[in-house]
Amino acid sequence: MALIIAGDRSGVGKTTVTLAILAFLANQGKKVQSFKVGPDYIDPMFHSSATGIPCRNLDPALTSPAYVQSCFWRYGENAEAVVIEGVMGLFDGVSNLDEPNALNDYGSTAHIARILNVPVAIVLDCSGLSSSIAAIAYGYANLDPRVKIVGVILNKVASDRHLELLETALNTINMPILGVLRRNSQVDIPDRHLGLIPSAELPNLKNIFAQLAKIAQTSFDWSKLTPHLVPKGARSYSPLVPQSSNPCNPKPVNKIRIAIAKDRAFNFYYQDNLDILTELGAELVSWSPIKDATIPDDIQGLYFGGGFPEVFAQQLAENKSILRQLKQKILAGIPTYAECGGLMYLCQQLVDLKQQTWSMVGVIPSVVTMEAKLTLGYRQAIALNNSSLIAVRQTITGHEFHRSQLKTPPSLPQWQLKGVHKLSPQLTEGWRIKNLHASYLHLHWGENQHLPQRFVNHCRNYKI
């Protein structure tokens, strides 16, 4: 019922191949459910734009293997085709003391393949390769016999002669070729300092998907590919746990209104998080800190996801009415949750990529600056204080991915951080001011539904 699109390393074309498959199937009128391995936000935006169905993240490090199975089962079982885009190289993951593995591939694409018992197609960048392609494919197919490699997709093939050499080599190991993308058939999707430019910012997105669908029609061997995507009869996978180990039990009470910032500056949200809030009785009211003149009426909470406030700092700064309204509301005690880009927006000032300084909301007494260094990785976080999101001493796992830094550290930090299952210096991070919980940590609430429940309860108790 599904196929994982993996790569031998980052940058080989997994996203292009995945989007081409999704665009082609969607053009055929198929109901296609996509998933993305890992904590990524931007690739899922492209998936959702291509299929018209929300993409779901599969990340056992942020959730659990049981939640990954549950999410896959819940959203994939009624689809006509299921496509999972991998992360980095097939076996690239992290260490985990609870599930020791010599490869340290916890959370990797291979780990997801084992959890879900789903076959894998490997995308290989063929630039500068001919017969050596067989050694690469053989190694990936045989390193872990629990991971079923059903074929390869050859990317950046230079010519017919080049393809002939590749085919001859792969025939020696009986490796099926599921697709061939020529070097001159690439579609350019622009990027910036944190990856691809989000799909909402691309005015020619429909044309991009049309190009990808056309490439997919002639580049893939659909007679070989389709059976892995849309099998007939019984399911081709057997989840070990057909339901979440931490189900959400919504309590039907009066709805509360939570304003969620959604525009070009703020768009990093896990769809599962939004769904959980809704199931807990929240009415999510989308609004734009860039364009709107006022905050939504009658709200009892504010939610700022991550995104690119540094790219749109001027537009955010020029909306002075919103800045004043937000500062007044947050200091008055409205429950507010802000992740990464949201944290940056709530600072006093933001120094952007051109070293220009812009005034922001001003609730957090610090200046945030863009730096060359990338802060990246999973973190274990222990709550040092009670907040509208978490109780003191509770522990969760989050993910950091940013190039900005705060000049002034918090006087009463929210988190004590360390790398997941690694002996590393313990750091403190995050701000709690009134009912504001702001942090660089991105959190997935699938296995931590006490967090959104606590936040919703605080919102319900807030008097407008």
Side-chain angles (χ1 to χ4, degrees):
M1 185 176 179
L3 180 67
I4 296 178
I5 306 300
D8 65 325
R9 71 200 75 187
S10 294
V12 297
K14 291 189 303 293
T15 300
T16 299
V17 167
T18 302
L19 290 177
I21 293 172
L22 295 178
F24 177 79
L25 292 173
N27 276 2
Q28 301 300 306
K30 300 288 187 183
K31 180 182 178 182
V32 188
Q33 178 63 60
S34 70
F35 296 90
K36 170 65 182 178
V37 179
D40 187 273
Y41 287 99
I42 298 177
D43 288 352
M45 295 181 201
F46 281 90
H47 288 206
S48 301
S49 297
T51 65
I53 297 174
C55 175
R56 306 283 169 170
N57 289 75
L58 302 176
D59 191 331
L62 286 183
T63 58
S64 71
Y67 186 83
V68 167
Q69 292 168 331
S70 170
C71 182
F72 180 74
W73 177 280
R74 178 178 182 182
Y75 296 105
E77 68 172 335
N78 293 320
E80 296 177 89
V82 177
V83 181
I84 304 172
E85 181 184 350
V87 62
M88 299 187 292
L90 178 59
F91 296 98
D92 296 331
V94 296
S95 62
N96 188 300
L97 295 182
D98 297 326
E99 295 189 22
N101 186 312
L103 287 174
N104 289 328
D105 69 346
Y106 190 91
S108 69
T109 307
H111 187 203
I112 297 298
R114 295 195 299 266
I115 290 172
L116 300 179
N117 191 23
V118 169
V120 175
I122 302 182
V123 179
L124 299 174
D125 183 340
C126 300
S127 302
L129 286 174
S130 58
S131 297
S132 295
I133 199 81
I136 296 171
Y138 183 84
Y140 275 86
N142 289 277
L143 182 63
D144 186 344
R146 297 171 297 174
V147 179
K148 183 182 179 183
I149 310 297
V150 294
V152 295
I153 297 172
L154 307 180
N155 195 18
K156 297 186 180 180
V157 176
S159 64
D160 290 343
R161 175 57 180 161
H162 187 199
L163 177 59
E164 182 181 336
L165 293 171
L166 297 169
E167 289 174 332
T168 299
L170 291 168
N171 283 338
T172 65
I173 61 169
N174 297 315
M175 177 61 68
I177 298 174
L178 304 178
V180 177
L181 280 75
R182 301 285 181 155
R183 184 177 295 170
N184 59 2
S185 66
Q186 301 304 301
V187 175
D188 182 36
I189 304 176
D191 59 9
R192 61 164 65 114
H193 56 285
L194 292 181
L196 295 178
I197 291 178
S199 56
E201 295 182 44
L202 302 179
N204 63 334
L205 188 62
K206 288 185 178 180
N207 291 335
I208 290 175
F209 288 145
Q211 287 179 272
L212 287 169
K214 185 176 181 180
I215 291 170
Q217 184 173 6
T218 56
S219 297
F220 296 113
D221 187 335
W222 289 101
S223 65
K224 294 179 180 178
L225 196 61
T226 301
H228 299 300
L229 298 169
V230 194
K232 297 179 181 179
R235 291 188 179 94
S236 61
Y237 68 96
S238 53
L240 304 178
V241 182
Q243 59 183 10
S244 172
S245 62
N246 187 8
C248 180
N249 296 312
K251 300 175 182 179
V253 295
N254 294 333
K255 282 192 177 294
I256 59 166
R257 285 167 56 87
I258 297 177
I260 176 170
K262 292 191 80 172
D263 58 16
R264 291 180 298 166
F266 304 102
N267 45 37
F268 289 7
Y269 296 95
Y270 293 127
Q271 184 64 42
D272 286 16
N273 285 8
L274 304 182
D275 291 345
I276 290 168
L277 284 175
T278 301
E279 291 168 3
L280 290 171
E283 177 188 351
L284 302 183
V285 185
S286 297
W287 71 290
S288 171
I290 292 177
K291 294 182 178 180
D292 289 341
T294 60
I295 300 171
D297 295 330
D298 301 326
I299 58 169
Q300 295 161 269
L302 291 164
Y303 183 1
F304 295 92
F308 292 101
E310 66 273 23
V311 176
F312 302 99
Q314 180 176 351
Q315 294 96 314
L316 292 168
E318 288 174 347
N319 198 345
K320 299 185 184 301
S321 174
I322 284 293
L323 297 179
R324 287 193 297 268
Q325 292 173 52
L326 283 175
K327 185 173 184 179
Q328 181 181 8
K329 261 202 175 308
I330 294 172
L331 293 180
I334 188 170
T336 304
Y337 177 58
E339 281 187 351
C340 199
L343 163 74
M344 297 165 64
Y345 179 53
L346 298 183
C347 288
Q348 291 173 325
Q349 293 178 318
L350 188 158
V351 182
D352 68 14
L353 297 162
K354 298 178 181 178
Q355 299 304 302
Q356 294 180 287
T357 301
W358 305 96
S359 293
M360 295 287 110
V361 174
V363 174
I364 295 174
S366 183
V367 175
V368 61
T369 62
M370 297 304 299
E371 309 287 347
K373 180 183 177 182
L374 175 64
T375 301
L376 171 67
Y378 293 103
R379 306 284 185 260
Q380 281 189 337
I382 302 171
L384 299 176
N385 299 286
N386 288 315
S387 77
S388 58
L389 187 78
I390 196 166
V392 65
R393 290 187 293 277
Q394 287 186 334
T395 301
I396 54 95
T397 298
H399 186 261
E400 282 191 276
F401 187 57
H402 57 92
R403 291 190 184 274
S404 66
Q405 298 292 334
L406 271 64
K407 285 191 173 181
T408 305
S411 55
L412 290 172
Q414 180 59 51
W415 300 117
Q416 183 178 11
L417 301 180
K418 62 178 180 177
V420 174
H421 296 308
K422 291 183 179 179
L423 297 176
S424 58
Q426 294 188 347
L427 306 174
T428 57
E429 190 269 339
W431 289 80
R432 182 187 64 82
I433 300 171
K434 302 281 187 178
N435 280 322
L436 164 67
H437 178 112
S439 169
Y440 270 120
L441 282 189
H442 293 289
L443 302 178
H444 192 297
W445 293 337
E447 277 291 334
N448 297 284
Q449 293 181 19
H450 60 284
L451 302 181
Q453 181 68 75
R454 182 182 177 92
F455 183 66
V456 166
N457 289 343
H458 273 77
C459 293
R460 186 168 286 117
N461 293 330
Y462 175 72
K463 304 301 180 184
I464 299 176

